[in-house]
Amino acid sequence: MADSDSIDRHITRWRAEVPQLDPAVEGVATRMQMLVRHLQGRKEKSLAQRGLKGWEYEILWQLRAAGTPYRMTPTRLAAALHVHPATLTNRLDRLAEAGHITREHASGDRRSLLVTLTDKGRAAWSTTIGDLAAAEHALLAPLSDIECDQLAALLRKITLGAEAGGAPLMPDPED
């Protein structure tokens, strides 16, 4: 193989240990895992440069995804993040202290609380998402536009198969 990568070497090594290993399936699955790990590392580096933790970014992302005016109830936010409400309360305290969010009572119901993304929180999210987009573009730079479209179509097909009869892999922020 003229252009072998680290995954090809991994497969060669493991085929000796696991003869039933399917090199095509192992190659695709392992490459997807390693590429996601690579992007995750870039994300963590970008967040650290801005003094953000992953969970902080995820909260900012959920609020941004909610659309204008970028607010949600803590209950909905906890459900979207799959965290216990008590855990979220502590995290919201820290984000409010940093100026990334505000918490206020809903005008129609004083018992209901709303978490709102501030200008500072939007700026932190925007800068980080820009870094992540640049990392994604750099990762896909070896592909032509047509190849990128083909890859997207193939991954969509795999995603549809994974989602068939189950929950969506990407939750809808409206749920």
Side-chain angles (χ1 to χ4, degrees):
M1 184 177 303
D3 291 332
S4 69
D5 62 16
S6 60
I7 310 307
D8 292 321
R9 293 186 291 279
H10 158 83
I11 291 167
T12 298
R13 177 176 173 262
W14 281 102
R15 282 194 79 192
E17 298 292 326
V18 185
Q20 69 274 22
L21 182 76
D22 183 332
V25 171
E26 181 69 9
V28 169
T30 303
R31 282 183 181 90
M32 287 191 304
Q33 291 171 347
M34 295 300 106
L35 291 170
V36 166
R37 187 177 293 169
H38 171 78
L39 286 174
Q40 186 64 31
R42 295 286 302 266
K43 178 180 179 180
E44 289 170 6
K45 181 179 177 182
S46 176
L47 291 171
Q49 288 172 342
R50 284 163 181 69
L52 291 172
K53 298 189 181 326
W55 60 263
E56 291 171 312
Y57 175 80
E58 293 304 319
I59 292 171
L60 300 179
W61 181 82
Q62 286 293 334
L63 290 169
R64 185 67 173 81
T68 305
Y70 311 119
R71 79 172 41 133
M72 298 171 80
T73 65
T75 302
R76 186 171 153 217
L77 193 51
L81 294 165
H82 304 288
V83 297
H84 191 277
T87 300
L88 182 64
T89 298
N90 181 285
R91 291 176 176 183
L92 293 177
D93 287 344
R94 292 173 65 181
L95 283 170
E97 188 175 302
H100 293 288
I101 64 152
T102 61
R103 287 184 284 192
E104 57 207 48
H105 292 282
S107 59
D109 181 0
R110 300 276 307 149
R111 295 171 297 162
S112 181
L113 198 62
L114 294 172
V115 178
T116 305
L117 192 59
T118 64
D119 289 342
K120 182 177 180 182
R122 273 195 305 277
W125 179 86
S126 293
T127 303
T128 305
I129 198 73
D131 289 350
L132 300 179
E136 292 166 354
H137 282 276
L139 181 70
L140 296 175
L143 300 179
S144 69
D145 290 345
I146 291 171
E147 289 170 325
C148 195
D149 289 344
Q150 290 169 335
L151 178 59
L154 292 170
L155 291 172
R156 183 177 301 105
K157 191 172 185 177
I158 294 168
T159 301
L160 288 168
E163 291 178 340
L169 297 180
M170 176 65 71
D172 186 341
E174 297 298 319
D175 291 343

